[in-house]
Every structure is written in structure tokens, then in C-alpha cells.
Amino acid sequence: MDPEHLPVINNYLDANEPQSEARLSRMHFHDNQRKVDYVLAYHYRKRGAHHGHGSPGHSLAVISNGETGKERHAGGPGDIELGPLDALEEERREQRDEFEHNLMAAGLELEKDLESKSQGSVFVRIHAPWQVLAREAEFLKIKVPTKKMYEIKAGGSIAKKFSAVLQTLSSPLQPRVPDHSNNRMKNLSYPFSREKMYLYNIQEKDTFFDNATRSRIVHEILKRTACSRANNTMGINSLIANNIYEAAYPLHDGEYDSPGDDMNDRKLLYQEWARYGVFYKFQPIDLIRKYFGEKIGLYFAWLGLYTSFLIPSSVIGVIVFLYGCATIEEDIPSKEMCDHQNAFTMCPLCDKSCDYWNLSSACGTARASHLFDNPATVFFSIFMALWATMFLENWKRLQMRLGYFWDLTGIEEEEEHSRPEYETKVREKLLKESGKSEVQKLDGNSPEDDEDDEDKLTWKDRFPGYLMNFASILFMIALTFSIVFGVIVYRITTAAALSLSKTTRSNVRATVTATAVIINLVVILILDEIYGAVAKWLTKIEVPKTEQTFEERLILKAFLLKFVNAYSPIFYVAFFKGRFVGRPGSYVYVFDGYRMEECAPGGCLMELCIQLSIIMLGKQLIQNNIFEIGVPKLKKLFRKLKDENEPGESGPDHSKRPEQWDLDYSLEPYTGLTPEYMEMIIQFGFVTLFVASFPLAPVFALLNNVIEVRLDAKKFVTELRRPDAVRTKDIGIWFDILSGIGKFSVIINAFVIAVTSDFIPRLVYQYSYSHNGTLHGFVNHTLSFFNVSQLKEGTQPENSQFDQEVQFCRFKDYREPPWAPNPYEFSKQYWSVLSARLAFVIIFQNLVMFLSVLVDWMIPDIPTDISDQIKKEKSLLVDFFLKEEHEKVKLADEPTQRSQGGGDRSRRSRAASSAPSGRSQPGSIASSGSQHTNV
């Protein structure tokens, strides 16, 4: 029989036979020897199965090269009579059989359950023997530690003493994990090579590669193994996309909450990292990287550095806020505004129903505005711009340091396989162009022929997808702006409606602001979820070739949509509200009788602060508590109820202790780091973009992140299936987005200070118009006069209850008075303030950019000690390599010299004595070699 058409399952264990030994570990095959490195899961169903035959218990089929077992013979007692399968199920079964056969051909060993029920889930356990691990590690150029160790020197004596003191002081904050940043010794690493096995300290082959590396190797084999029955589909991802398999995942290292003293990495991570009770401790980054891989390790390292950098910015922000509180009684403009003797009679805020009002009634708003609108916020904005630059520079340094300790320096970009959707699109294109013969020719190609498949989808093929992307993104942005405009209309109409009643008239502004912000928050949260799904759909119709390209394009689209969604209401309040109101007698109307809304008498900065704080805090609290905690728990509960109600799942084995692959299968699948990064990037924008209006933003971000670190940790350790370990040198496109936000924040804060706050008008008044160089008279200076007799017919206040007869009312603007030659035109003060604002923006932006570049230049991207250690490691590696080669040659030369000596002696001795001598020499060679290997 052709070996290509042999059945995949070739060896069986009868469930009725007693097992030779008890199960010692749920991480191994049932022989208790071979470790489970990866698991494939699929769901099957049968029709016409006779439940009376076969054992419903825990039957096993062991697929293994050379594994002894009981072969299945027709009519044997262990047979299961299968009913006729439907065509689709039969096709999937054949595809699985072929794929598993190809995995065995690649050297992997498989074990799977027999399909002994009418329907259920089957787990295919995969073990990679040493020969496969060694072959793939060499192919993937995985760096492994050699026998040579060297000491990492920590600079000069002062640096050593400082490091020792710092380590002693921070010892209570260190997690209790082995080798956590205390080890000053490091192994030289070198890419694995089967020809240079003598370089590595291989004490036990089963443990030489850790679990994450073993699963990574198996995953690489799964990704490149083809299945000709599935249209020559390449890899496990394509099979999962086509529902041939349901899931593929590596196993966790046991349970995290198991009783007893037995410890594994998962349990250690849970105890020292993934609990809220250890929030004050540093993260065990090395252990996180060992367990989850470099990509996830870098995310938590970045999150930890970002959180620690929020501490100084939070302290400065609190100081700025306290400065505003301390100087509130000394603020002259707010005192003038609150002085009832000044009696500034203000023009009505709406037509007909609104009356004249005294400026002193807005005293509370004016005093509150000073908390955030004071000279200290300008310096805080400069500080935060430099803070963002220093954070990014320190991250680059930390990234290089981690890259050195994790042996990421010099790693090559791994070749990525095509996505299933891309392969399908190419196949459809060939089908249209050349008919089925071309597809059959494609199916006959070997996987190695994929190198000419690079640009099979041209820009013409992708043009409809690009056009749909462009139109959809424009539509989504227009939708966001429309919703913002809808909220503006709500504010205007609600304010007008509340002004009709005397009981609600006094609290109109507070009521409208609070309700509008809550509406904005709810809309932002809903659109966030919608835009995430839309961005994914738009990226799919683009048909990117590789997963990395797909991820980068998805990130850019999701960030653009979520950025516009989160910041549109804030941008409106900061830069547009109150700018297009008009003036009394010539107002701008949205609808008939509804005027554009104005800023509060103290300016729009206070309202901007309220808007920013509620949206920021609401997003953090609701997304953390509901979306990140509640939704996964509901999903888990729903899946558990579904499994319990699944027909055909119950049996005698159901009461047994569940295996690790069963426990992991019930967890949520890992979907990537994009949601975690996105949440933090949006928060980084809140902290940097409008920090001039809300100095307490870093404080709330810090409090959120202390919880967020442990929340994400708990999710990864307890709620998600173990992700595949991915090696990467950096955080990718996220760094570019952070850098862009940092630069954009300089411009935004410059405009917030210049346009939204009263900082520039106060400076202009103090140094150009004040008689005594103080701010006395500033409020009167900013208010223009209007002759109430010039109000349009039908807009005057009806039934005015104002105390005195009003001839002139005041409004906030720089305009000529009614008695001037050009009444109500912009005054000289207006142009002076406008030019000062523009000058401030230019000076502020260039000054901060210059300081940022200076900080960037002063802080090298690569720490000096790491740069020196990398050079030292290269030199040590060459010396070690040459020494080991020399030892190898020396050992190889010894037998030749001994055999020549033995030949000389044999001419002077009996011929019979030479034979034992010849047999003893190979043993001595092996002995020497073994001593050398164990050095």
C-alpha cells in the first residue's frame, strides 16, 4: 500500500486494558514520558453511531512513530461502528487525517482521543522529540546559552555602591522569583547548531529547551505544514479559518491555584505578579518573558516604565493644582468678577426667555477656573512635553537593555507565511483568469514554490478594497463629527428650554454641561467598540499578505478612528466653542431662534477640564470594570453552560479530574495585544495633549495603571489560553504613534494656552494697558459695550425682572463701543491679543521642540554599559569558539598519535596482544569526549 495513503492513526491503546502506571502529570502523554508541547482541538459529530459498541470511557489513540500498541482489526472488541458521515464532516476528517500524517512526516509525535461518542471535542496532543527540536532550532537560528559564563560589570565604584544601596532599599518591592535581576553572571549565547553541540551545556535534552521555546518550534512546523486536500492550504491558521480545527494552543504549566507546594512558572506568576495584593511590587519581567515570550514581555516592560514615569508627572501636577488652590484668593480678575459693587450688567444668553444678568453671579465658575488657568500650567505644559520625550528616550534605552539580556540583538526577521484570506483571494483570481486547470496546477505545487507568489495581488486587485477603506473611514469620521454636532444642538436647545422656567434657570449651564458630557461619554464607549470591529473588517477587505502587515494596518485604522472618536468633543470645546457666536444684535444662529453657544464668563478652560476629566475617568472605569472584567467572566460562564448542556458530552470519564488541555480549552483564546496597547495610547493622549487644562490627568492615569498592570497580568495568567511565544526586538508601530502624539501634544498645548485660556490676554493687559502693571481693571478691559436699543425686534427679554433699567449691556469680546466711529468693529486690543497669541504659539512650539531635541541628543539610545557589554560579548564569543575548536582538534588528534604509537609497539610485541589494544581506544576517545561535553 502506498505510504502516502496509510491511515493517520496507526497505533491504539485499548481503554479496557489496565494501564501500566498511574498518570503522574497532566502535561505528558499517557506514557508519562513525552511532554505535550502543543494541542489541536476540533469538534466532531456522528450520525447513526451505535452506542452499544465500544467503550464510552477514556479511549486513546496514540499516533507515534514506533510506539507499541494494539492495532485495530476489523470486528475487534474495541471497534466503534461509525454511521454514515455527512459529506462536509467526512471531508474535514480526511483533511485532518492528511494534516496529521504530514505532521508525523515532519517528525512530530501525536496522541489523540478516539471519537467514541455521538459528538464532542477531540484533542490532538503533539510532542516534539529531541531530533525535531534540534533540527528546527538550527533552522530558526534560536540563540541558546553556551557553557561559557561571564560577569556583567556595573560601571565604576560609585555606580556599584549606588546600585547596591538602591537594591537594598528596593528589596521589599522585588518579587520573590528566582534570578530576578540579581544575577550578575550571563551565559554567552550562540545560535543552535547540531554540528557544534560541544559548545552548549546540554545536561538533559528534555529540559534544554524551555516550554515556550518548544511550543514555538512546534507552532512553526504547524504554520508551514500543507494540506493538499484543503486546496493546498498552508498551515494551521488556514485550517482553523476553514473550521477544520477549532483551536490550536500550547499548554499552560499546570494550574495557578493548585493546592500544595508544587510550584510552576504559572503559579509563581500568579502569586508574585497577577494578584492585586502585590500591586506595590516590581514586575518579574524576565519570568514574564520566559513564560509568554518576548512580545508580551516587552508590552509589560513598556507598561511598567510608563506607569513609573507617571509618578513624577503626577507629583508636579498635584503641585500645580495646589498652587492654583493657594493663590485663588490673590487672583485679581476673579476677585473683580465676584465683587458685587462692580455690577457688570451682561447681555442675555438667549433670545426672549433669557434676562439680563450680573457678572458676579458667575463668581464660582471664575474662581474654579483659576485652579487650572494660572501661570503654573504653562510651565507644566513645557514639563510634560519634555517628560514625553524623556519617556520615549528611556524606553529606547530599556528596550536595548532587555534586548541584550534576552539575546535579541542581531535576530533576523522571521519569514512570515501568507494569511489564509490572501491565499483564498489568489486562488479566486487564478480561477477567474485561467479556469480550474490553473487552480489544479497551483494545488500540485509544492510549498517551496511560494517565493514567486509575492505580488500575485496587484494594486488593481486591491483597488476596490482601498476605495472601500477610504470611503468608510471618511464616513466614520463624518459620523463622529455629526454626533458631536448633535450634542451641540442638544446643549443649545436644552439650555433654551431650561431658561424658560424660573426654577431651572439658575442651574442651566451646570445641567447642560454635565448631561452633554455624559452623552458624549456613552457615545464614545459605544463607537469605540463599533470602530474596533469596523477597522478589522476594513483591514480584511484590503487582503494584506502577512499577519504583521495585517496587524500594522489594523492598528493604524483603529487608532485613527478611536482618536477622532475620543478627542472630537474635547477639540470642539477647546478650539471652536464660543469662537463663532457673533455679537449682540448680530448673532450666529444654528436654527431659527437658537444661537450658537458661548463659553462661560470665566472662559472655556473650566468646561474643557470637566469634559476631559469625565471622559478620561469614565473610559478608564467603565472599560476596566465592565469590558475587561465583566465581559470575559460572562463569556466564560456562557461557554461553561453551553458545554454542560452539549448533548453527547457526558460519560463515565466526565467525573474524572480534567486534563490540562481540557482546562486550557475552556479559557478565552488570545487575540493579540492591540486592545491593551490601544487603551494605553489613548490614555497617553489624555495625559499629554490637553494637560494644560487638566494637570491632574497624570494622577488619574497613574491610579488606573496600577490596577491595569495587575488586571492585564491576571487576564493573561488565569483567563486566556497560553499565547504562542513570539520573538521581537521592539514594540513596532506603537513607538511611532507615541512619538507622533508627543510631538502633536506640543502644538495642542501651545494653542490651549494661547487660545483657550486667558493667559495671553492677561499678559497683554498687564504689560500694555494696565496703568500700574497689575491686573486691576482686566475684567472691565475684556468686556465690550452694547446699546440694548439696537437689539433685533423679537429678541429682547420678555418680562424682564432685572432690578434697574438697562441702557448698555456688556459682552465678552474686544470690540469698539456704540459711540465709536466704527461701532462693534474689532478694536486695537483684539489685534494686539491675536498677534500675541500667534507669537506665543510659535515661540512655545519652537522652544519646546528645541528642548526635546536637546534631551533626545543628551540621552543616548544605547546605554554605555550595554554597548560595552555587547562588544565584550562578541570578543568573548570568538575566544570561546576558538578555544573549543582547538580542544576538539586536540581530542581528534590524540587517537591518531596513540594508534601510531601502538603500531610501533606492535612490531616489538606479539600479534595477539594488539587486538585488545585496538578495541580499547574507541572507549578512551568517547570518555574524553564526554568529559569535554560536561565542562
Side-chain angles (χ1 to χ4, degrees):
M1 187 177 179
D2 186 0
E4 289 294 316
H5 296 91
L6 284 173
V8 175
I9 302 175
N10 51 32
N11 285 317
Y12 288 81
L13 292 178
D14 193 342
N16 297 321
E17 290 184 356
Q19 295 192 18
S20 57
E21 52 182 317
R23 294 278 283 119
L24 299 176
S25 169
R26 295 184 296 159
M27 303 286 297
H28 291 74
F29 280 8
H30 279 69
D31 58 8
N32 286 325
Q33 294 177 359
R34 290 174 290 178
K35 184 182 293 185
V36 177
D37 296 316
Y38 219 88
V39 175
L40 306 180
Y42 65 88
H43 193 83
Y44 73 92
R45 72 176 185 274
K46 297 179 181 178
R47 291 192 307 182
H50 298 283
H51 298 289
H53 294 269
S55 170
H58 198 75
S59 300
L60 292 174
V62 177
I63 310 171
S64 169
N65 300 328
E67 174 71 19
T68 59
K70 186 172 181 178
E71 292 192 11
R72 183 176 68 171
H73 299 285
D79 271 0
I80 300 170
E81 293 184 16
L82 301 179
L85 298 172
D86 65 290
L88 180 61
E89 196 68 30
E90 175 67 23
E91 185 183 352
R92 287 176 179 171
R93 185 187 64 76
E94 290 175 354
Q95 290 171 3
R96 285 194 292 267
D97 287 349
E98 186 204 349
F99 184 71
E100 289 162 10
H101 182 279
N102 291 342
L103 292 180
M104 288 172 55
L108 297 176
E109 297 176 4
L110 280 67
E111 176 186 78
K112 69 187 290 188
D113 305 323
L114 287 177
E115 299 176 2
S116 57
K117 303 165 189 171
S118 60
Q119 67 171 324
S121 296
V122 168
F123 299 98
V124 181
R125 278 86 68 186
I126 302 175
H127 168 76
W130 170 257
Q131 294 84 356
V132 175
L133 293 173
R135 181 192 74 211
E136 296 297 321
E138 183 174 354
F139 174 68
L140 295 172
K141 299 179 182 177
I142 294 176
K143 283 189 174 184
V144 293
T146 64
K147 290 180 286 186
K148 175 68 175 177
M149 296 187 73
Y150 68 97
E151 184 181 1
I152 301 170
K153 295 184 178 178
S157 58
I158 298 175
K160 280 184 179 178
K161 288 180 181 178
F162 180 74
S163 178
V165 170
L166 198 63
Q167 195 169 344
T168 305
L169 292 174
S170 64
S171 57
L173 306 178
Q174 299 291 347
R176 292 174 295 176
V177 298
D179 300 327
H180 180 70
S181 303
N182 295 327
N183 198 351
R184 302 303 303 171
M185 302 299 292
K186 184 179 185 295
N187 282 90
L188 279 176
S189 296
Y190 188 74
F192 188 85
S193 171
R194 287 173 289 179
E195 295 179 356
K196 297 181 175 62
M197 299 279 281
Y198 55 86
L199 294 175
Y200 316 112
N201 189 16
I202 305 175
Q203 296 178 349
E204 191 175 345
K205 290 182 177 179
D206 286 344
T207 58
F208 180 69
F209 294 107
D210 59 26
N211 290 346
T213 306
R214 293 175 69 101
S215 65
R216 178 187 164 213
I217 288 172
V218 174
H219 187 239
E220 286 296 326
I221 298 174
L222 290 170
K223 284 198 297 185
R224 69 166 188 261
T225 302
C227 181
S228 60
R229 289 181 183 271
N231 294 325
N232 204 36
T233 298
M234 178 69 72
I236 186 64
N237 294 335
S238 301
L239 295 177
I240 292 174
N242 294 326
N243 296 317
I244 296 165
Y245 287 98
E246 196 173 345
Y249 52 91
L251 289 182
H252 277 294
D253 289 358
E255 295 184 59
Y256 65 89
D257 56 353
S258 59
D261 297 330
D262 57 317
M263 187 60 68
N264 57 62
D265 285 347
R266 187 188 187 194
K267 192 173 182 180
L268 190 59
L269 281 171
Y270 177 73
Q271 291 180 354
E272 294 297 320
W273 178 53
R275 293 186 301 115
Y276 295 114
V278 292
F279 73 93
Y280 60 91
K281 289 189 177 184
F282 294 122
Q283 298 184 89
I285 292 297
D286 294 327
L287 185 59
I288 297 168
R289 171 254 178 176
K290 176 189 172 188
Y291 192 80
F292 291 111
E294 284 75 11
K295 189 171 186 178
I296 293 175
L298 282 174
Y299 164 71
F300 281 104
W302 174 84
L303 182 57
L305 182 71
Y306 171 49
T307 304
S308 62
F309 255 73
L310 284 172
I311 296 173
S313 59
S314 299
V315 172
I316 303 296
V318 170
I319 291 173
V320 169
F321 178 73
L322 293 177
Y323 170 81
C325 295
T327 58
I328 193 168
E329 298 297 334
E330 302 169 10
D331 183 47
I332 296 172
S334 61
K335 286 168 71 175
E336 287 185 349
M337 201 176 289
C338 294
D339 189 358
H340 292 276
Q341 294 180 354
N342 286 329
F344 295 112
T345 302
M346 306 298 293
C347 296
L349 295 174
C350 63
D351 294 346
K352 292 185 179 180
S353 57
C354 295
D355 202 352
Y356 302 106
W357 56 286
N358 275 322
L359 185 61
S360 57
S361 63
C363 174
T365 308
R367 290 170 64 86
S369 295
H370 178 74
L371 299 176
F372 305 100
D373 189 2
N374 57 69
T377 56
V378 179
F379 299 102
F380 186 56
S381 300
I382 297 173
F383 168 79
M384 287 304 294
L386 299 180
W387 172 88
T389 304
M390 290 187 68
F391 164 62
L392 294 175
E393 288 302 310
N394 275 273
W395 168 244
K396 284 194 278 188
R397 289 168 63 83
L398 178 60
Q399 199 168 247
M400 284 302 302
R401 190 176 294 277
L402 292 175
Y404 164 70
F405 283 106
W406 294 352
D407 297 316
L408 300 176
T409 52
I411 66 166
E412 299 177 3
E413 292 291 333
E414 295 178 3
E415 182 184 356
E416 287 203 74
H417 302 284
S418 300
R419 296 176 63 249
E421 293 83 357
Y422 179 84
E423 292 178 353
T424 305
K425 199 75 174 177
V426 170
R427 200 167 287 110
E428 288 175 358
K429 179 186 176 184
L430 291 176
L431 186 63
K432 288 179 183 177
E433 289 179 351
S434 306
K436 292 186 178 179
S437 60
E438 194 66 31
V439 177
Q440 290 168 359
K441 192 187 295 183
L442 177 69
D443 291 346
N445 286 344
S446 62
E448 289 77 22
D449 293 336
D450 269 350
E451 52 262 5
D452 60 348
D453 192 31
E454 283 206 5
D455 282 316
K456 287 204 171 176
L457 289 184
T458 62
W459 70 270
K460 291 181 180 178
D461 301 316
R462 290 193 168 100
F463 182 74
Y466 291 150
L467 190 63
M468 177 63 76
N469 268 262
F470 182 73
S472 300
I473 289 173
L474 281 183
F475 173 76
M476 293 297 164
I477 293 174
L479 175 65
T480 305
F481 291 161
S482 302
I483 292 172
V484 172
F485 181 72
V487 175
I488 294 170
V489 172
Y490 161 79
R491 294 159 68 115
I492 294 169
T493 54
T494 307
L498 292 176
S499 299
L500 295 173
S501 171
K502 293 181 180 180
T503 55
T504 58
R505 191 175 295 170
S506 57
N507 297 317
V508 168
R509 195 178 296 276
T511 305
V512 169
T513 300
T515 54
V517 172
I518 291 170
I519 291 171
N520 274 326
L521 174 62
V522 172
V523 169
I524 286 170
L525 292 173
I526 294 171
L527 288 184
D528 251 3
E529 300 302 310
I530 295 173
Y531 286 169
V534 168
K536 195 169 186 178
W537 174 72
L538 289 175
T539 311
K540 281 182 179 177
I541 64 175
E542 269 191 66
V543 201
K545 183 175 182 182
T546 63
E547 285 295 337
Q548 183 178 354
T549 312
F550 179 88
E551 186 179 11
E552 288 180 353
R553 293 183 182 181
L554 172 62
I555 289 168
L556 284 175
K557 289 183 189 65
F559 173 72
L560 174 63
L561 292 174
K562 292 191 176 188
F563 183 89
V564 172
N565 181 40
Y567 294 110
S568 292
I570 300 171
F571 268 89
Y572 163 71
V573 174
F575 303 122
F576 297 102
K577 185 178 179 181
R579 312 289 166 200
F580 310 103
V581 178
R583 59 171 180 83
S586 181
Y587 283 115
V588 176
Y589 290 88
V590 182
F591 301 111
D592 187 32
Y594 293 102
R595 294 173 2 198
M596 283 294 291
E597 56 180 346
E598 302 179 41
C599 289
C604 276
L605 197 70
M606 189 61 203
E607 188 173 340
L608 176 62
C609 172
I610 294 170
Q611 185 106 1
L612 189 67
S613 59
I614 291 179
I615 290 177
M616 180 182 176
L617 294 174
K619 271 180 68 68
Q620 291 182 166
L621 290 173
I622 295 174
Q623 284 186 334
N624 283 356
N625 293 328
I626 296 178
F627 294 163
E628 290 199 32
I629 298 176
V631 172
K633 289 187 181 297
L634 288 174
K635 284 183 178 178
K636 190 175 181 180
L637 179 64
F638 178 74
R639 192 166 52 247
K640 186 179 179 181
L641 293 173
K642 184 183 175 185
D643 291 343
E644 288 175 356
N645 297 327
E646 191 78 41
E649 288 292 328
S650 58
D653 61 332
H654 195 71
S655 59
K656 288 186 178 181
R657 187 184 180 197
E659 301 286 358
Q660 188 62 47
W661 44 85
D662 290 306
L663 295 172
D664 287 4
Y665 180 69
S666 67
L667 299 175
E668 279 288 310
Y670 168 72
T671 56
L673 288 168
T674 301
E676 276 71 29
Y677 271 117
M678 189 67 70
E679 185 184 342
M680 289 296 104
I681 297 294
I682 295 295
Q683 186 204 81
F684 183 78
F686 281 121
V687 168
T688 54
L689 288 178
F690 293 94
V691 75
S693 64
F694 189 42
L696 295 179
V699 179
F700 293 112
L702 175 63
L703 295 175
N704 173 78
N705 285 10
V706 169
I707 300 170
E708 181 72 22
V709 171
R710 307 302 161 180
L711 180 68
D712 285 347
K714 189 175 182 182
K715 182 167 65 174
F716 274 89
V717 173
T718 67
E719 296 173 4
L720 296 180
R721 292 175 193 158
R722 187 172 184 173
D724 294 301
V726 179
R727 284 177 74 82
T728 183
K729 293 186 289 187
D730 50 42
I731 60 174
I733 198 172
W734 294 112
F735 183 84
D736 299 324
I737 293 175
L738 284 167
S739 182
I741 290 176
K743 291 179 173 60
F744 190 47
S745 69
V746 176
I747 303 170
I748 293 297
N749 280 303
F751 276 99
V752 168
I753 295 168
V755 176
T756 313
S757 77
D758 277 339
F759 178 73
I760 298 301
R762 290 184 183 191
L763 282 181
V764 171
Y765 175 79
Q766 187 172 357
Y767 294 105
S768 299
Y769 297 98
S770 176
H771 299 293
N772 52 8
T774 65
L775 287 174
H776 287 288
F778 171 74
V779 174
N780 184 52
H781 179 75
T782 59
L783 298 177
S784 300
F785 287 89
F786 180 75
N787 190 339
V788 297
S789 63
Q790 296 175 353
L791 283 171
K792 287 184 178 179
E793 189 66 32
T795 63
Q796 300 95 336
E798 293 180 345
N799 304 318
S800 177
Q801 303 294 319
F802 205 65
D803 304 3
Q804 54 201 4
E805 187 179 345
V806 179
Q807 185 180 2
F808 294 101
C809 66
R810 310 292 294 272
F811 63 100
K812 190 170 183 179
D813 206 347
Y814 291 102
R815 290 183 181 269
E816 296 287 351
W819 52 83
N822 299 311
Y824 309 126
E825 294 291 326
F826 288 119
S827 63
K828 288 191 299 181
Q829 290 92 327
Y830 172 83
W831 300 110
S832 300
V833 170
L834 180 62
S835 58
R837 281 174 165 162
L838 295 176
F840 175 82
V841 169
I842 295 169
I843 294 170
F844 182 90
Q845 180 182 335
N846 284 282
L847 173 65
V848 175
M849 288 292 188
F850 170 74
L851 293 174
S852 299
V853 171
L854 187 64
V855 169
D856 189 357
W857 175 74
M858 290 175 63
I859 302 176
D861 292 348
I862 305 176
T864 308
D865 59 327
I866 295 299
S867 179
D868 294 341
Q869 294 292 348
I870 290 173
K871 293 175 185 175
K872 177 185 174 182
E873 188 171 285
K874 288 180 180 177
S875 175
L876 286 172
L877 188 60
V878 171
D879 294 342
F880 170 67
F881 198 81
L882 292 174
K883 181 181 176 183
E884 290 294 326
E885 286 288 326
H886 179 69
E887 289 288 332
K888 183 183 176 185
V889 171
K890 188 176 177 182
L891 287 171
D893 287 344
E894 284 181 8
T896 309
Q897 295 172 0
R898 290 183 184 178
S899 63
Q900 289 175 353
D904 293 338
R905 287 194 299 275
S906 67
R907 288 194 293 271
R908 297 191 298 271
S909 61
R910 296 191 307 274
S913 65
S914 64
S917 172
R919 282 193 303 270
S920 68
Q921 286 164 9
S924 66
I925 297 167
S927 174
S928 301
S930 107
Q931 287 175 1
H932 172 71
T933 304
N934 292 331
V935 171

